[in-house]
Amino acid sequence: MHDDADGQGLWAETAPPAPETAPLSGSLTADVAIVGGGFTGLSVALHLAEAGAKVAVLEASEIGHGGSGRNVGLVNAGMWVMPDDLPSTLGDVYGQRLLALLGEAPRLVFDLIEKHAIACEPEWTGTLHCAAGEKGLRQIAERARQWQARGAPVRLLDAAETAAKTGTAAYAGALLDERAGTLQPLAYARGLAGAAIGAGAQIFTRSPAMAVERDGARWRVTTPSGSVTAEWVVAATNAYTGHLWPELRAELVRMPYFNFATEPLGEALRKRILPGRQGAWDTNKILTSFRMDRQGRLVCGSIGALRGTGRQVHAAWARRTLRRLFPALEDVSFSHAWYGMIGMTDDHLPKFHRLAPNIVGFSGYNGRGIAPGTVFGQVLAQHILGALPEADLPLPVTPPRPRPLRTLHEAGLEWGAQAFHLMRTIA
C-alpha cells in the first residue's frame, strides 16, 4: 500500500498537474490579497479576477494542500444540520438565505467545471445518505420531508432500492439527493487555480503569510521572501489556520478524517457497487463514507487520523467494514491511505468574520467544504466588489468565539474514533 498518510494520497497521484507557480519574491501591489489556496481562496480569486480585480493568492504550501486536497470528494447541498434548524439557529432571514444558497451550491461547482473544462472526474448523479437501522431511517425520512417541503429534488429510498444503488444490503434505506455529486477534489482545486490564473490572478505557492499589518490605508501581507500590499485581505485558511489569525484557530475544533482506496475493482464488482457512481455515507455518529473513482477504486473513509496507533486501528476497521458491506471484497487490499482535518464549529454552521476593516473570511465548513467553499468564495468576491452589501450576506458578521475545552474536544475525537473502530473490528 502506498501510505501517504501525511499527504493527499490517491488524489495527488491521479490529479492533472497543478498550474506552474512559484514563491512570492519581492513586493507587489494588488486590490485583494487572499491567504489560502483551497476551494474558498481559489473561488474568490477566480471570481474577482474575472471582474477585473488585481488578485494575489498566498498559499503556504501547494494548491489544495489542506482539506481541499484530502477530502472524500462529495459535492453536497446544505449542511450537516437539518434544514429547519438553520432558521431556528440563525433567524429566519439568514437561515432562509443560507438554505437557498447552499441548496444550489453544487450547481455552481458543476457549472464552473463545465465552463472552465476542469478535468476532475465530475459525477453529477446525486449522493446517498444511508440509514443505519430504524433510527437512521427516521432521521433521513425527516431530512427528506424538510427538503421536499422546500421543493428540493430529494427522494427517500427503501431498503431494496438502497441495496440496488449501493451494492450492499446493510442499510434500511437512503436519501438520494439529486442536487449533489462527486469529483476528484485536488483536481478540482488545481482546475480552479488554473482558471483563476487564466483570468489574471497571481498565485504564489510555498509563500506562507507571516504577518498582516497596516500600511497607510492598505494592508501589507508579508511572506518569507516578499510582501503584498492590498486594500482587502481574505482569510481563507479554515481548519489549516496557523499563527496568523489565532482567533480563527481557537474557534474551530479540528476533526481528523481518513480515507483508504482499494486497487481498481474488476468490471463485475464495479457494476454492482455504486453502479450510478453516487457518493455515499451513513447516519452513524462515527460515520462510514464510500465512493468510487473513475478508475474503479473504492474509497472508504471515516473519522480518525492515520498516525500513531491510528494507522493500524483504522486500516483494520476499513478492511472489515468493506468486507461487511460488500462480502465479495473478502480479499480487499488498499493502494493508498491519507487523512486531513475538518474545521468544526459549535453549532455545525459556517461563520463569516470581519477580522479588521477589509479583512474578511468564511470558516467552519464542518465537513462540507467543496460546494460551500466555492459558493462562499463567489459571495466574498461580490462583497469585495461592492455588489453584495453586508446586510445582504448569507451569514451575519460575528466575532470569532474561542471554543471552550477545544484541545480536549480534539483529543476526544481522535481517541474516540480509534476506540469505536477498534471495537467494531474485534466485535
Side-chain angles (χ1 to χ4, degrees), residues 71 75 80 86 128 216 271 274 280 322 343 381:
N71 65 86
V75 188
W80 283 105
L86 269 70
L128 295 162
K271 287 181 177 178
L274 296 171
L322 287 188

Side-chain angles (χ1 to χ4, degrees), residues 1 6 23 32 43 63 85 93 116 128 161 163 176 182 214 240 325 380-381 387 400 419:
M1 179 175 66
D6 296 325
V32 184
S43 177
I63 292 163
D85 289 344
V93 172
H116 299 286
L128 295 162
E161 292 174 297
L176 172 63
T182 66
R214 271 295 190 188
Y240 286 77
L325 293 176
L380 283 171

Side-chain angles (χ1 to χ4, degrees), residues 20-28 33-38 56-65 202-212 220-228 233-234 236-237 240 242-245:
E20 189 173 338
T21 56
L24 174 64
S25 179
S27 301
L28 64 86
I34 299 166
V35 181
V57 177
L58 301 173
E59 164 55 44
S61 184
E62 301 293 342
I63 292 163
H65 169 78
Q202 293 180 282
I203 298 179
F204 301 97
T205 51
R206 305 181 299 284
S207 301
M210 309 297 289
V212 179
R220 185 173 68 255
V221 185
T222 305
T223 71
S225 56
S227 66
V228 178
V233 176
V234 173
T237 48
Y240 286 77
H243 73 280
L244 195 60
W245 291 295

Side-chain angles (χ1 to χ4, degrees), residues 276-292:
R277 293 298 180 264
Q278 290 89 3
W281 74 101
D282 64 28
T283 57
N284 286 316
K285 189 168 184 179
I286 306 294
L287 61 84
T288 300
S289 62
F290 53 101
R291 50 84 46 108
M292 199 82 76

